[in-house]
Each structure stands twice: as C-alpha cells, then as structure tokens.
Amino acid sequence: MEPDSPTIPKSTLTDILFVLFLRLIAIACFWLGLQYWSMLVGYSLAGQARFDLLNLPWKVAGAGLAVVFPVAALGLWLTVSWGPVIWVLAAGSQALMYGLWPQIFGSNPLIVILHAGVAVLYCIFRILLWLEKRRREQQVMVDLP
C-alpha cells in the first residue's frame, strides 16, 4: 500500500538545472585549483612560477587559492550550503587580485567578468527557487477524499 501524500517533493526543472549549474561550477573550481597547484610545484609555465621563485603577494595568493578552489569545488559538487560561501571567498579573492591590484598580479578582466557572471546566475537561480517554494507553500492541499 502506498502512502496518500509523498513526503519528498518532486524535483522541479529549476532544481535540476541548479544542481547541474553548481556541478559545472565545481568542475571549473577544481580545474582552477589544479592550475594553481601545477603553477606552484613548477609543472606549468616552464617552472618559472614555482613557489620558491614567487614574490610574497603571489606566494600568499597562489597557496591560498590552490587550497580554497578545490574545497569550493567539493562543496559545490555536494550541493551543501557552505559550497557557495567558499566559492565567493575564492572568486572574490581572484577578482580582487586581477581587478584591484593589476600592478602586482597582472590584469585579467575575463576572470573578473566570468566570476561576476556566475554570481549573477547564482542569484537568479536562488530567486527562482525562492519563488517556486513560495508558490508551493501557497497552494491549497486537500487530503480529504
């Protein structure tokens, strides 16, 4: 015998697309983390950006982002609440690096634009999910036969 009212609501298209969006961003974060690790250990850039050859700002930024991006990727992939928070820290740090201090880290407006675009898309998804939740709560549920 099946219960009359299922306890788990069905996933909507917005829910599915939001999880897909988070997982795509998680893959990108993992890739960025791998890029920082490969830079710091001398695998990329012909070994010219090894940790021991970098100046102090790059040592701090590179080591921090090499750790924070994979952690953000894990949180986003698992769709836990702390994933986007860690992503904001990582993306914000990188946007500050290339947007606010280009004389130290160089200029990379594309990374700033991409992070801003992801943040806007995330906000749009959260608004859509909130509207769906509100609409679902306003629907009248009748359990009478």
Side-chain angles (χ1 to χ4, degrees), residues 36 39 49 53-62 93-108:
Y36 278 104
M39 177 189 80
L53 300 176
L54 295 175
N55 59 9
L56 184 62
W58 264 107
K59 283 182 181 181
V60 172
S93 299
Q94 201 174 31
L96 285 174
M97 281 172 53
Y98 295 120
L100 192 60
W101 299 299
Q103 66 277 12
I104 298 171
F105 299 103
S107 179
N108 193 349

Coordinates of all heavy atoms in Angstrom, one line a residue, residues 36 39 49 53-62 93-108:
Y36 N 46.5 26.2 -10.1 CA 47.3 26.9 -9.1 C 48.3 25.9 -8.6 O 49.5 26.2 -8.3 CB 46.5 27.5 -8.0 CG 46.0 28.9 -8.4 CD1 44.7 29.1 -8.8 CD2 46.8 30.0 -8.4 CE1 44.2 30.3 -9.1 CE2 46.4 31.2 -8.8 CZ 45.1 31.4 -9.1 OH 44.6 32.6 -9.5
M39 N 51.1 25.4 -11.0 CA 52.0 26.5 -11.1 C 52.9 26.5 -9.9 O 54.2 26.7 -10.1 CB 51.1 27.8 -11.0 CG 52.0 29.1 -11.0 SD 51.0 30.6 -10.7 CE 50.8 30.5 -8.9
A49 N 57.1 29.8 -12.3 CA 56.3 30.3 -11.2 C 56.2 29.3 -10.1 O 55.2 29.2 -9.4 CB 54.9 30.5 -11.8
L53 N 60.2 30.7 -6.2 CA 60.6 31.8 -7.1 C 59.6 33.0 -7.1 O 59.9 34.0 -7.7 CB 60.7 31.3 -8.5 CG 61.7 30.2 -8.8 CD1 61.7 29.7 -10.2 CD2 63.1 30.6 -8.3
L54 N 58.5 32.8 -6.4 CA 57.5 33.9 -6.4 C 57.7 35.0 -5.4 O 58.4 34.7 -4.4 CB 56.1 33.3 -6.2 CG 55.5 32.3 -7.2 CD1 54.2 31.7 -6.7 CD2 55.3 33.0 -8.5
N55 N 57.2 36.2 -5.7 CA 57.3 37.2 -4.6 C 56.2 36.9 -3.6 O 55.3 36.1 -3.8 CB 57.2 38.6 -5.3 CG 55.9 38.8 -6.0 OD1 55.0 38.0 -6.0 ND2 55.8 39.9 -6.7
L56 N 56.2 37.7 -2.5 CA 55.3 37.4 -1.4 C 53.9 37.5 -1.7 O 53.1 36.6 -1.3 CB 55.7 38.3 -0.2 CG 54.9 38.1 1.1 CD1 55.1 36.7 1.6 CD2 55.2 39.1 2.1
P57 N 53.4 38.5 -2.4 CA 51.9 38.5 -2.7 C 51.5 37.3 -3.5 O 50.4 36.7 -3.3 CB 51.7 39.8 -3.5 CG 52.9 40.7 -3.2 CD 54.0 39.7 -2.9
W58 N 52.3 36.9 -4.5 CA 51.9 35.7 -5.3 C 52.0 34.4 -4.4 O 51.2 33.5 -4.7 CB 52.8 35.6 -6.5 CG 52.2 36.2 -7.7 CD1 52.5 37.3 -8.3 CD2 51.1 35.6 -8.5 NE1 51.7 37.6 -9.4 CE2 50.8 36.5 -9.5 CE3 50.3 34.5 -8.3 CZ2 49.8 36.3 -10.4 CZ3 49.3 34.3 -9.3 CH2 49.0 35.2 -10.3
K59 N 52.9 34.3 -3.5 CA 53.0 33.2 -2.6 C 51.7 33.0 -1.8 O 51.2 31.9 -1.7 CB 54.2 33.3 -1.7 CG 55.5 32.9 -2.3 CD 56.7 33.0 -1.3 CE 58.0 32.7 -2.0 NZ 59.1 32.7 -1.0
V60 N 51.3 34.1 -1.2 CA 50.1 34.1 -0.4 C 48.9 33.8 -1.2 O 48.1 32.9 -0.9 CB 49.9 35.5 0.3 CG1 48.6 35.5 1.0 CG2 51.1 35.7 1.3
A61 N 48.7 34.5 -2.4 CA 47.5 34.3 -3.2 C 47.5 32.9 -3.8 O 46.5 32.2 -3.8 CB 47.5 35.4 -4.3
G62 N 48.7 32.5 -4.4 CA 48.7 31.2 -5.0 C 48.5 30.0 -4.1 O 47.7 29.1 -4.4
S93 N 38.5 36.6 -4.0 CA 40.0 36.8 -3.9 C 40.6 37.0 -5.3 O 41.4 37.8 -5.5 CB 40.6 35.6 -3.2 OG 40.1 35.5 -1.9
Q94 N 40.2 36.1 -6.2 CA 40.8 36.2 -7.5 C 40.4 37.4 -8.3 O 41.2 38.0 -9.0 CB 40.4 34.9 -8.3 CG 41.3 34.6 -9.5 CD 41.0 33.3 -10.1 OE1 39.9 32.9 -10.2 NE2 42.0 32.7 -10.7
A95 N 39.1 37.8 -8.1 CA 38.6 39.1 -8.7 C 39.4 40.3 -8.1 O 39.7 41.2 -8.9 CB 37.1 39.2 -8.5
L96 N 39.7 40.3 -6.8 CA 40.4 41.4 -6.2 C 41.9 41.4 -6.8 O 42.4 42.4 -7.0 CB 40.5 41.2 -4.7 CG 39.2 41.7 -4.0 CD1 39.3 41.3 -2.5 CD2 38.9 43.1 -4.2
M97 N 42.4 40.2 -6.9 CA 43.8 40.1 -7.4 C 43.9 40.7 -8.8 O 44.8 41.6 -9.0 CB 44.2 38.6 -7.6 CG 44.6 37.9 -6.4 SD 44.8 36.1 -6.7 CE 46.0 36.1 -8.1
Y98 N 43.0 40.3 -9.7 CA 43.2 40.8 -11.1 C 42.4 42.1 -11.4 O 42.7 42.8 -12.3 CB 42.7 39.7 -12.1 CG 43.5 38.5 -12.0 CD1 43.0 37.3 -11.7 CD2 44.9 38.5 -12.3 CE1 43.7 36.1 -11.7 CE2 45.6 37.4 -12.3 CZ 45.1 36.2 -12.0 OH 45.8 35.0 -12.0
G99 N 41.5 42.5 -10.5 CA 40.8 43.7 -10.7 C 41.3 44.9 -10.0 O 41.3 46.0 -10.5
L100 N 41.6 44.7 -8.7 CA 42.0 45.8 -7.8 C 43.5 46.0 -7.8 O 44.0 47.1 -7.7 CB 41.5 45.5 -6.4 CG 41.6 46.7 -5.4 CD1 40.7 47.9 -6.0 CD2 41.0 46.2 -4.1
W101 N 44.3 44.9 -7.9 CA 45.8 45.0 -7.9 C 46.4 44.5 -9.1 O 47.3 43.6 -9.1 CB 46.3 44.2 -6.7 CG 45.8 44.8 -5.4 CD1 45.9 46.0 -4.8 CD2 45.0 44.0 -4.4 NE1 45.3 46.1 -3.6 CE2 44.7 44.9 -3.4 CE3 44.5 42.8 -4.4 CZ2 43.9 44.5 -2.2 CZ3 43.7 42.4 -3.3 CH2 43.5 43.3 -2.2
P102 N 46.1 45.0 -10.3 CA 46.7 44.5 -11.5 C 48.2 44.8 -11.6 O 49.0 44.1 -12.3 CB 46.0 45.2 -12.6 CG 45.4 46.5 -12.0 CD 45.2 46.1 -10.6
Q103 N 48.7 45.8 -10.9 CA 50.1 46.1 -10.9 C 51.0 45.0 -10.2 O 52.1 44.9 -10.5 CB 50.4 47.5 -10.3 CG 50.1 47.6 -8.8 CD 48.7 47.9 -8.4 OE1 47.8 47.8 -9.3 NE2 48.5 48.2 -7.2
I104 N 50.3 44.2 -9.3 CA 51.0 43.1 -8.7 C 50.8 41.8 -9.4 O 51.7 41.1 -9.6 CB 50.6 43.0 -7.2 CG1 50.9 44.3 -6.4 CG2 51.2 41.8 -6.5 CD1 50.3 44.4 -5.1
F105 N 49.5 41.5 -9.7 CA 49.2 40.2 -10.2 C 48.9 40.2 -11.7 O 48.7 39.1 -12.3 CB 47.9 39.7 -9.5 CG 48.1 39.6 -8.0 CD1 47.6 40.5 -7.1 CD2 48.8 38.5 -7.5 CE1 47.7 40.3 -5.8 CE2 48.9 38.3 -6.2 CZ 48.4 39.3 -5.3
G106 N 48.9 41.3 -12.4 CA 48.6 41.4 -13.8 C 47.1 41.6 -14.0 O 46.3 41.4 -13.0
S107 N 46.8 42.0 -15.2 CA 45.4 42.2 -15.5 C 44.7 41.0 -16.2 O 45.3 40.5 -17.1 CB 45.3 43.5 -16.3 OG 43.9 43.7 -16.6
N108 N 43.6 40.6 -15.7 CA 42.8 39.6 -16.3 C 41.3 39.9 -16.2 O 40.6 39.3 -15.3 CB 43.2 38.2 -15.7 CG 42.7 37.0 -16.5 OD1 41.9 37.2 -17.4 ND2 43.1 35.9 -16.2

